[in-house]
Amino acid sequence: MTALQIGIAGFGAIGRSIAHQLNKDIHGLQLAAIGVRNPDSPPEIDWEGKSPPRFVVLDDLEPHCDIVIECAPADLLPRIASPFLQQGKKVISLSSGALLAHPELIELARHHGGQILVPSGAILGLDALLGAAEGEIQSVKMISRKPLQGFAGAPFVKERNIDVLNLTEPSLLFSGSAREAAAGFPANLNVAASVSLAGVGPDKTRLEVWADPSLTHNTHHIEVISDSALLSMQIQNIPSDNPKTGRITAQSVVALLRKMSAPVSVGT
């Protein structure tokens, strides 16, 4: 079997973690290329004696890869995904919130036979939500709580001049729909967008966002009422080197890649 050629678009904490895992010779997968701003000055990485992948600019990734993993700022998703979707290839998107703002990417995938894959990332229960959505879901509510530094720089916080780093008690920053949250917290709450895409959609998924100085882990709680199951789920994520993202996010992407060629596939 020819190994799938994998590309990584963006090389921050998540991109580097995924690259480290793919460098361990996962059967059926080969890290072929990494998209960065300046390929002439690639970051210094220990490839453990193996040949490093090629470094290219984002716009040059598609010819080298069968699948691209988008690990970049949300506003770059259309630029990264479009060339792959136009060629009928797969895009693994970690900026699921950006999909809500760019429905044209879904139409592009449909027209050319491409596919956008949204991994579970830092959330749980998407398989159960997908199953419940085959019936009738009455409501989906999510409560996200994060340490203060996880919200630094979020547009919602900046626009309202919230001094989030100096909060001294748990504070409700936002209450509304997942669509509104995706716009206000593009780097913080892709989990809410993923939940909405699996369930009742971004306008019916309700969300509370709390900044809590007592926390060290990103915490998400989901309550679902449906005609097939009552779901109550909670996850506490250990932050990665990027405090906005949990470590399990990168591991979730690798698990999805393994599943593509696994002899046994577990989960919906």
Side-chain angles (χ1 to χ4, degrees), residues 179-214:
R179 186 184 299 278
E180 294 167 323
F185 302 89
N188 311 84
L189 291 169
N190 285 299
V191 288
S194 299
V195 166
S196 74
L197 290 169
V200 294
D203 298 310
K204 294 182 179 180
T205 301
R206 310 309 299 171
L207 179 67
E208 289 185 6
V209 179
W210 291 75
D212 190 336
S214 68

Coordinates of all heavy atoms in Angstrom, one line a residue, residues 179-214:
R179 N -22.4 30.1 16.9 CA -22.0 30.9 15.8 C -21.4 32.2 16.3 O -20.4 32.7 15.8 CB -23.2 31.2 14.9 CG -22.8 31.9 13.6 CD -23.9 32.3 12.7 NE -24.7 31.1 12.2 CZ -24.3 30.4 11.2 NH1 -23.2 30.6 10.5 NH2 -25.1 29.3 10.8
E180 N -22.1 32.8 17.2 CA -21.6 34.1 17.8 C -20.2 33.9 18.5 O -19.3 34.7 18.4 CB -22.6 34.7 18.8 CG -23.9 35.1 18.1 CD -25.0 35.4 19.1 OE1 -25.1 34.7 20.2 OE2 -25.8 36.3 18.9
A181 N -20.1 32.7 19.2 CA -18.9 32.4 19.9 C -17.7 32.2 19.0 O -16.6 32.6 19.2 CB -19.1 31.2 20.8
A182 N -18.0 31.6 17.8 CA -16.9 31.3 16.9 C -16.4 32.6 16.3 O -15.2 32.7 16.1 CB -17.5 30.5 15.7
A183 N -17.2 33.6 16.2 CA -16.7 34.9 15.7 C -15.9 35.7 16.8 O -14.9 36.3 16.5 CB -17.9 35.8 15.2
G184 N -16.4 35.6 18.0 CA -15.8 36.3 19.1 C -14.5 35.7 19.7 O -13.7 36.3 20.3
F185 N -14.4 34.3 19.5 CA -13.3 33.6 20.1 C -12.7 32.6 19.1 O -12.8 31.4 19.3 CB -13.8 32.8 21.4 CG -14.4 33.7 22.4 CD1 -15.7 33.9 22.5 CD2 -13.6 34.2 23.5 CE1 -16.3 34.7 23.5 CE2 -14.1 34.9 24.5 CZ -15.5 35.2 24.5
P186 N -12.2 33.1 18.0 CA -11.8 32.2 16.9 C -10.7 31.2 17.2 O -10.6 30.2 16.5 CB -11.4 33.2 15.7 CG -11.0 34.4 16.5 CD -12.0 34.5 17.6
A187 N -9.9 31.6 18.2 CA -8.8 30.7 18.5 C -9.0 29.9 19.8 O -8.2 29.0 20.2 CB -7.5 31.5 18.7
N188 N -10.2 30.1 20.4 CA -10.5 29.5 21.7 C -11.6 28.5 21.7 O -11.5 27.6 22.6 CB -10.9 30.6 22.7 CG -9.9 31.8 22.7 OD1 -10.1 32.7 21.9 ND2 -9.0 31.8 23.6
L189 N -12.5 28.6 20.8 CA -13.7 27.8 21.0 C -14.2 27.0 19.7 O -15.3 27.0 19.4 CB -14.9 28.7 21.5 CG -14.7 29.2 22.9 CD1 -15.7 30.3 23.2 CD2 -14.8 28.0 23.9
N190 N -13.2 26.5 19.0 CA -13.5 25.6 17.9 C -14.3 24.4 18.4 O -15.0 23.8 17.6 CB -12.2 25.2 17.2 CG -11.6 26.3 16.4 OD1 -12.2 26.8 15.4 ND2 -10.4 26.7 16.7
V191 N -14.1 24.0 19.7 CA -14.9 22.9 20.2 C -16.4 23.1 20.1 O -17.1 22.2 19.8 CB -14.4 22.6 21.7 CG1 -13.1 22.0 21.8 CG2 -14.5 23.9 22.5
A192 N -16.8 24.4 20.4 CA -18.2 24.7 20.3 C -18.7 24.6 18.9 O -19.8 24.1 18.6 CB -18.5 26.1 20.8
A193 N -17.9 25.0 17.9 CA -18.3 24.9 16.5 C -18.4 23.4 16.1 O -19.4 23.0 15.4 CB -17.3 25.6 15.6
S194 N -17.5 22.6 16.6 CA -17.5 21.1 16.3 C -18.8 20.5 16.9 O -19.5 19.7 16.2 CB -16.3 20.5 16.8 OG -15.1 21.0 16.2
V195 N -19.1 20.9 18.1 CA -20.3 20.3 18.7 C -21.6 20.7 17.9 O -22.5 19.9 17.7 CB -20.4 20.8 20.2 CG1 -21.8 20.6 20.8 CG2 -19.4 20.1 21.1
S196 N -21.6 22.0 17.5 CA -22.7 22.5 16.7 C -22.9 21.8 15.4 O -24.0 21.5 14.9 CB -22.7 24.0 16.5 OG -21.7 24.3 15.6
L197 N -21.8 21.5 14.7 CA -21.8 20.8 13.4 C -22.3 19.4 13.6 O -22.9 18.8 12.7 CB -20.4 20.9 12.8 CG -20.0 22.2 12.3 CD1 -18.5 22.2 11.9 CD2 -20.8 22.7 11.1
A198 N -22.0 18.7 14.7 CA -22.4 17.4 14.9 C -23.8 17.3 15.4 O -24.5 16.2 15.2 CB -21.5 16.7 16.0
G199 N -24.4 18.3 15.9 CA -25.7 18.3 16.6 C -26.8 19.1 15.9 O -27.2 18.7 14.8
V200 N -27.2 20.2 16.5 CA -28.3 20.9 16.0 C -28.0 22.2 15.2 O -28.8 23.0 14.9 CB -29.3 21.3 17.2 CG1 -29.9 20.1 17.8 CG2 -28.5 22.1 18.2
G201 N -26.7 22.4 14.9 CA -26.3 23.6 14.2 C -25.8 24.7 15.0 O -26.1 24.8 16.2
P202 N -25.1 25.7 14.5 CA -24.5 26.7 15.2 C -25.4 27.8 15.8 O -25.1 28.4 16.8 CB -23.6 27.4 14.2 CG -24.2 27.1 12.9 CD -24.8 25.7 13.0
D203 N -26.6 27.9 15.3 CA -27.6 28.9 15.8 C -28.4 28.3 17.0 O -28.9 29.1 17.8 CB -28.5 29.4 14.7 CG -27.7 30.1 13.6 OD1 -26.9 31.0 14.0 OD2 -27.9 29.8 12.4
K204 N -28.6 27.0 17.1 CA -29.4 26.4 18.1 C -28.5 25.9 19.3 O -29.1 25.6 20.3 CB -30.2 25.3 17.5 CG -31.3 25.8 16.6 CD -32.2 24.6 16.1 CE -33.2 25.1 15.1 NZ -34.1 24.0 14.6
T205 N -27.2 25.8 19.1 CA -26.4 25.3 20.1 C -26.0 26.5 21.1 O -25.5 27.5 20.6 CB -25.0 24.8 19.5 OG1 -25.3 23.7 18.7 CG2 -24.1 24.3 20.6
R206 N -26.4 26.3 22.3 CA -26.2 27.4 23.3 C -24.9 27.2 24.1 O -24.5 26.1 24.4 CB -27.4 27.5 24.3 CG -28.8 27.5 23.6 CD -28.9 28.5 22.5 NE -28.7 29.9 23.1 CZ -28.6 30.9 22.3 NH1 -28.6 30.8 20.9 NH2 -28.5 32.1 22.8
L207 N -24.3 28.4 24.4 CA -22.9 28.3 24.9 C -22.7 29.4 26.0 O -23.2 30.5 25.8 CB -21.9 28.5 23.8 CG -20.4 28.5 24.2 CD1 -20.0 27.1 24.7 CD2 -19.6 28.9 23.0
E208 N -22.1 29.0 27.1 CA -21.6 29.9 28.1 C -20.1 29.8 28.1 O -19.5 28.7 28.1 CB -22.1 29.6 29.5 CG -23.6 29.9 29.7 CD -24.1 29.7 31.1 OE1 -23.2 29.4 32.0 OE2 -25.3 29.8 31.4
V209 N -19.4 30.9 28.2 CA -18.0 31.0 28.3 C -17.5 31.7 29.6 O -17.9 32.8 29.8 CB -17.4 31.7 27.1 CG1 -15.9 31.8 27.1 CG2 -17.8 31.0 25.8
W210 N -16.7 31.0 30.4 CA -16.3 31.5 31.6 C -14.7 31.6 31.7 O -14.1 30.6 31.2 CB -16.7 30.6 32.8 CG -18.2 30.6 33.1 CD1 -19.2 30.0 32.3 CD2 -18.9 31.3 34.1 NE1 -20.4 30.3 32.8 CE2 -20.3 31.0 34.0 CE3 -18.5 32.1 35.2 CZ2 -21.2 31.5 34.9 CZ3 -19.4 32.6 36.1 CH2 -20.8 32.3 35.9
A211 N -14.2 32.7 32.2 CA -12.8 32.8 32.5 C -12.7 32.6 34.0 O -13.3 33.2 34.8 CB -12.3 34.1 32.1
D212 N -11.8 31.6 34.4 CA -11.7 31.2 35.8 C -10.3 31.2 36.3 O -9.5 30.4 35.9 CB -12.4 29.8 36.0 CG -12.5 29.5 37.5 OD1 -11.8 30.0 38.3 OD2 -13.4 28.6 37.7
P213 N -9.9 32.1 37.2 CA -8.5 32.2 37.6 C -8.0 31.0 38.5 O -6.8 30.8 38.7 CB -8.4 33.5 38.4 CG -9.8 33.7 38.9 CD -10.7 33.2 37.8
S214 N -9.0 30.2 38.9 CA -8.6 29.1 39.8 C -8.3 27.8 38.9 O -7.8 26.8 39.5 CB -9.8 28.7 40.7 OG -10.9 28.2 40.0

